[in-house]
Amino acid sequence: PEGKVDISSNGTISVRGGVSGKLAVMDFPAGTHITPEGTTLYRAPQGAAKPAASAVLHQGNLEGSNLKVVEATMRLMMVQRQAETMQRALSLFYSEFNKTATEDLPRV
C-alpha cells in the first residue's frame, strides 16, 4: 500500500499505521552453505535458518563498512608497488636472458 513506511525494531512493517508484513531476520550455524539465486536472493538448506535471538533493526540507518579505508588504501598501494617491482625484476631478467641467448650461446 502507498504511504509512509515504518519498520519497528522487531521487523514489523507498517504503512499508515497498519501492519503490512514482518521482516524475517535469521541466524545460520557456522559453515552453512548458502547458495545465491540471482543478485539479491540467497537460499539455505531446509531447516538451517533459525530466528535471530538478539538482532535489532534500526530504520533509516546505513550499514557501516567493516573496512578501514586508509589502511586498505595503504595496503593496496604496497601491493601495487610490489607488483611493479616484480615486473621490473622480470623485465631485467628477460632482457639479460635474451642478451645471453643472442650473444653468448652462438659462441658455444
Side-chain angles (χ1 to χ4, degrees), residues 33-45:
H33 182 69
I34 299 173
T35 53
E37 293 185 357
T39 57
T40 58
L41 179 66
Y42 293 88
R43 186 166 309 279

Side-chain angles (χ1 to χ4, degrees), residues 17 32 50 53:
T32 302
K50 305 285 184 235

